Amino acid sequence: MVAQGARRTAAQVAGVVALAVAVTAFLSVAAVRHGFFDLKVYYGALTFWVHDHGEIYDYLKPGTQYGFTYPPFAALVMLPMAYLPWPAAITVSVAASVVVSAVLIWWLLDPVSRRAGWSRWFTLAVALCLAAAYEPMRETINFGQVNMLLLFLVGLDLLRLLPAGSRWAGVGIGLATAIKLTPGVFIVYLLITQRWRAAFTSMAAAAVATLLAAGLFPDASREFWTSSLWNTSRVGELAFVSNQSLRGVVARLDPDHPSTLAWLLLVLTALGIWAWRSRAAVAAGDEATGLALTGALMCLVSPVTWVHHLVWLIPALILLVDNAMAAPAHGPRRRALLAFAVIAYGLLISRIVWAWEKDFTGLDGFLGSNTYVWISLALLMLLPIRRWAVPAATGPAAGRPEPTGSAVEPADVPQLVEPDRGTPTGERHRVGGPLAVR
């Protein structure tokens, strides 16, 4: 047994090394090096503000129209950067993104590995290699973006604090919203699923953080809320192929005169599907799927969703694998879900939308330039809701779902498996703005 275990471990180590080498080779060809462009914007704006005594929202990166677009609380959080040398700022940015990404992926994958009987370290190592190849993740790192930090704050609430009944549940969502407005959709998620305490905690946290920044930086706060927030010229072109939102789809149909009405109709439709499915997920005790559905919705309804923002699809991709492994082995459901996950992931590492960067006209341009939007829509509509019984007398608390990722006994596994449908039986039951960018 010892020899067999040692051979298995050696094979796993060799597999991880081989995968890491393959991913490194792939990145050497596929990854675009952006030179930490966005981090340079933050660093330049903070340096201009702190050391040159300028107004942070007046700063534009030389030769571009890009400036600091986040609320003043984000400036407060990033303020230490102004006192770091540039190489140290890069190191902190990369290290922070890598650490929080590893923790979040572990939270989502550990229950899957335990249920499937996979080695936990091996599962995480493979997942991190695959995450490194994921285009939104590598763009987040290469731009020096904050996406994974925000996803971590939201995941902390929805995957850890809320299922445990913590009175602090909601603080992470509130802070993420105060840093960048788009995570505020998760406050709406808490409201429509009637987790009132967490919803009000998140609103209070966002308000306190915003008021703290206003008290410390009144001029910057006044400038942001009255002027910079509404200055859309700083965010880039809506029709640019990197904008993988519903607004981007409409804009690419007619770049000169994009239809606001068509966009609003699409947004309302997406919101209706999301509200219905999110309520069903929470009713089933599946908080992780609620997180995944809301992340997909945010990517769709934000007026601008650059490719690097699609890290919010990571929970949905992992849950596709979870649902596949819970389905009967060799059955059609497992094959369909694994195919869905592999195709979606394969497209999301491929840079396929950039083939239409210069010309997105025609049917092929409409379909190809919006590939990542179609994936977000498919995940919103088809990601299965994992259902398992949580008897009122034995659940964690009356009216509160069982924590996502808790141990599931073998007898319960079939309850995770729906018939060959994307949604469970009996589901009768302006987000974004300029700060949706960079």
Side-chain angles (χ1 to χ4, degrees):
M1 287 296 292
V2 174
Q4 183 179 0
R7 285 195 297 271
R8 180 187 181 193
T9 300
Q12 290 175 335
V13 170
V16 169
V17 171
L19 180 60
V21 170
V23 168
T24 301
F26 171 76
L27 293 178
S28 69
V29 175
V32 176
R33 289 156 181 81
H34 300 290
F36 300 98
F37 182 95
D38 291 357
L39 189 64
K40 286 180 180 176
V41 174
Y42 311 151
Y43 189 81
L46 289 164
T47 300
F48 177 71
W49 188 35
V50 173
H51 300 297
D52 298 336
H53 308 292
E55 179 55 65
I56 190 169
Y57 295 108
D58 290 340
Y59 174 84
L60 293 178
K61 187 178 185 296
T64 77
Q65 81 262 32
Y66 295 111
F68 195 85
T69 57
Y70 294 169
F73 181 69
L76 175 61
V77 172
M78 296 181 187
L79 191 58
M81 189 188 305
Y83 300 95
L84 294 176
W86 174 239
I90 294 175
T91 301
V92 170
S93 172
V94 172
S97 290
V98 169
V99 169
V100 298
S101 298
V103 173
L104 180 77
I105 290 171
W106 177 248
W107 286 344
L108 289 162
L109 263 183
D110 185 47
V112 185
S113 66
R114 287 189 285 110
R115 287 198 292 270
W118 300 335
S119 297
R120 298 164 78 184
W121 74 267
F122 178 70
T123 302
L124 180 62
V126 169
L128 292 179
C129 288
L130 296 177
Y134 185 61
E135 183 180 357
M137 177 70 80
R138 64 187 194 240
E139 293 279 285
T140 287
I141 299 295
N142 285 330
F143 273 117
Q145 259 288 339
V146 299
N147 303 309
M148 289 308 303
L149 301 175
L150 301 178
L151 179 51
F152 171 79
L153 287 173
V154 173
L156 176 64
D157 271 346
L158 298 185
L159 300 177
R160 283 297 186 263
L161 299 182
L162 188 62
S166 171
R167 64 179 180 177
W168 296 102
V171 170
I173 291 172
L175 292 177
T177 303
I179 293 171
K180 186 175 182 179
L181 299 184
T182 46
V185 70
F186 285 92
I187 299 178
V188 182
Y189 166 71
L190 293 174
L191 289 171
I192 68 161
T193 54
Q194 300 180 10
R195 269 75 64 79
W196 307 115
R197 185 174 70 178
F200 287 118
T201 298
S202 63
M203 287 187 280
V208 168
T210 300
L211 290 174
L212 173 63
L216 293 173
F217 316 125
D219 293 339
S221 295
R222 181 166 51 251
E223 172 69 16
F224 175 79
W225 295 107
T226 62
S227 178
S228 297
L229 174 61
W230 316 105
N231 183 4
T232 58
S233 65
R234 296 155 63 100
V235 306
E237 295 294 329
L238 290 175
F240 183 41
V241 74
S242 183
N243 183 13
Q244 291 292 304
S245 69
L246 293 172
R247 186 65 160 164
V249 173
V250 173
R252 282 185 285 277
L253 288 173
D254 185 359
D256 294 328
H257 305 286
S259 172
T260 299
L261 177 60
W263 173 59
L264 290 175
L265 289 174
L266 290 172
V267 166
L268 288 174
T269 301
L271 285 169
I273 296 170
W274 164 74
W276 166 53
R277 303 208 70 221
S278 293
R279 287 174 60 86
V282 170
D286 192 359
E287 199 70 66
T289 296
L291 165 64
L293 293 173
T294 308
L297 175 84
M298 188 174 72
C299 294
L300 289 166
V301 304
S302 175
V304 180
T305 298
W306 298 135
V307 168
H308 56 75
H309 295 140
L310 297 174
V311 294
W312 290 91
L313 299 184
I314 288 174
L317 295 174
I318 291 175
L319 292 177
L320 279 178
V321 176
D322 190 5
N323 280 280
M325 298 311 299
H330 311 299
R333 181 174 175 82
R334 175 174 289 191
R335 288 195 297 269
L337 289 170
L338 286 177
F340 187 178
V342 169
I343 292 170
Y345 173 79
L347 290 172
L348 283 164
I349 71 171
S350 69
R351 288 183 53 83
I352 189 172
V353 298
W354 297 99
W356 291 271
E357 180 180 4
K358 303 299 184 183
D359 182 8
F360 40 73
T361 59
L363 180 60
D364 67 310
F366 175 71
L367 295 175
S369 69
N370 300 307
T371 298
Y372 300 166
V373 182
W374 310 143
I375 294 172
S376 297
L377 280 169
L379 291 170
L380 178 66
M381 294 188 292
L382 301 177
L383 179 66
I385 294 171
R386 304 170 305 166
R387 303 178 66 88
W388 56 86
V390 184
T394 60
R400 189 171 74 239
E402 182 177 337
T404 298
S406 59
V408 179
E409 295 298 326
D412 294 331
V413 171
Q415 297 177 352
L416 291 169
V417 182
E418 292 292 325
D420 287 332
R421 297 188 296 272
T423 54
T425 304
E427 290 182 357
R428 289 187 287 274
H429 302 284
R430 170 174 90 168
V431 177
L435 301 195
V437 303
R438 297 215 184 278

